[in-house]
Amino acid sequence: MVIQIKELNKKDYEITRKFSIEGMDIRRYSNRPYEIYFYSNFFFLFELLRATQILAAYDNDNLVGVLMVQMKNEPTKINSICCKIQFLFFKFMLLFMFSGAGAEYQEANEKMYNEYLKTNEPDGELSFFVVDPKLQGKGIGSLLLNELQKIEKGKKIYLYTDSGCNYQFYDHKNFIKEQVKEIEMKIHNNIIPLTCFLYSKIL
């Protein structure tokens, strides 16, 4: 396997979305395929449209991983009217289907961020990070992170993650676990316990 880091090809947007389903363990929130479809589209498009760096890992022409960050004072990479319209559509559908579900998660992230800001001045957020689920542990995530470090060397980034994701990766990469919050998410008739984390690192 020979990995190259380059721009994300538009034809691979759908593959990236599917990677996010496994990477974020979206199925823990719902077992309804149409809800998983709408949520993964919303999340992918939200992060795509605000990303200032989008790094994609390819094995030949096959996408195997994607990393996105939102850095201060840098222009966004994507300014597609089509993507913006799609995002608004999926946002509307989520409001209709989930009706306030997940507010606990957002509130926990806001509290952690506010505490973090008391002693830190970050330069940006690592907002999207997925690897082909079939290739976990092959060093693809490390290659993407190393490439980001070359581009944004010396800058401080933070990220949100939780116990449903592979948060241990950040421990192994010497990120600092800045904040931790225990929550219970209420989605439909289910209660989902989660530990939320805010990590940071100087690249």
Side-chain angles (χ1 to χ4, degrees):
M1 187 165 59
V2 179
I3 303 298
Q4 289 184 305
I5 309 297
K6 50 188 178 181
E7 290 186 7
L8 177 63
N9 194 311
K10 188 175 180 180
K11 71 178 178 61
D12 293 321
Y13 283 5
E14 178 64 8
I15 296 173
T16 307
R17 178 192 71 81
K18 289 180 178 178
F19 285 174
S20 74
I21 293 173
E22 301 298 329
M24 296 176 59
D25 194 16
I26 292 174
R27 292 187 180 89
R28 66 190 150 156
Y29 303 131
S30 174
N31 58 7
R32 302 168 184 174
Y34 66 92
E35 290 185 347
I36 294 169
Y37 174 79
F38 281 113
Y39 182 77
S40 58
N41 268 292
F42 165 80
F43 178 74
F44 166 66
L45 289 168
F46 176 72
E47 300 302 350
L48 181 75
L49 289 168
R50 71 189 192 110
T52 60
Q53 294 288 349
I54 303 172
L55 305 178
Y58 283 88
D59 179 18
N60 293 317
D61 288 327
N62 299 313
L63 181 71
V64 294
V66 177
L67 181 154
M68 301 184 199
V69 293
Q70 182 190 21
M71 305 300 292
K72 291 179 180 177
N73 304 317
E74 294 184 13
T76 55
K77 289 287 186 179
I78 305 296
N79 191 27
S80 164
I81 296 298
C82 180
C83 286
K84 290 178 180 178
I85 291 172
Q86 290 179 51
F87 167 72
L88 291 173
F89 169 73
F90 288 117
K91 181 180 181 180
F92 171 79
M93 293 303 296
L94 281 185
L95 289 172
F96 174 74
M97 288 186 294
F98 288 98
S99 185
E104 301 89 352
Y105 195 94
Q106 183 64 31
E107 183 179 331
N109 283 348
E110 288 177 2
K111 287 181 178 179
M112 290 192 298
Y113 183 64
N114 288 334
E115 285 297 316
Y116 173 67
L117 286 182
K118 290 178 180 179
T119 53
N120 293 275
E121 294 184 11
D123 298 295
E125 177 188 356
L126 197 170
S127 54
F128 187 95
F129 198 3
V130 296
V131 170
D132 183 342
K134 301 187 296 294
L135 298 174
Q136 292 281 352
K138 300 293 185 180
I140 296 166
S142 296
L143 288 173
L144 285 165
L145 198 57
N146 290 343
E147 184 67 18
L148 177 65
Q149 187 162 348
K150 292 177 187 176
I151 298 169
E152 303 287 359
K153 189 171 180 60
K155 294 184 180 179
K156 179 179 284 190
I157 60 170
Y158 71 95
L159 64 92
Y160 302 111
T161 188
D162 60 64
S163 53
C165 304
N166 182 24
Y167 67 91
Q168 296 92 342
F169 172 83
Y170 302 108
D171 294 320
H172 296 153
K173 294 301 176 182
N174 298 316
F175 279 71
I176 299 171
K177 190 181 292 179
E178 301 277 3
Q179 298 287 324
V180 181
K181 293 281 185 187
E182 301 287 343
I183 66 168
E184 290 186 341
M185 286 182 61
K186 298 174 184 176
I187 299 179
H188 301 316
N189 295 319
N190 298 321
I191 296 178
I192 304 167
L194 279 177
T195 305
C196 298
F197 305 104
L198 188 152
Y199 281 87
S200 78
K201 181 181 176 69
I202 297 176
L203 296 171

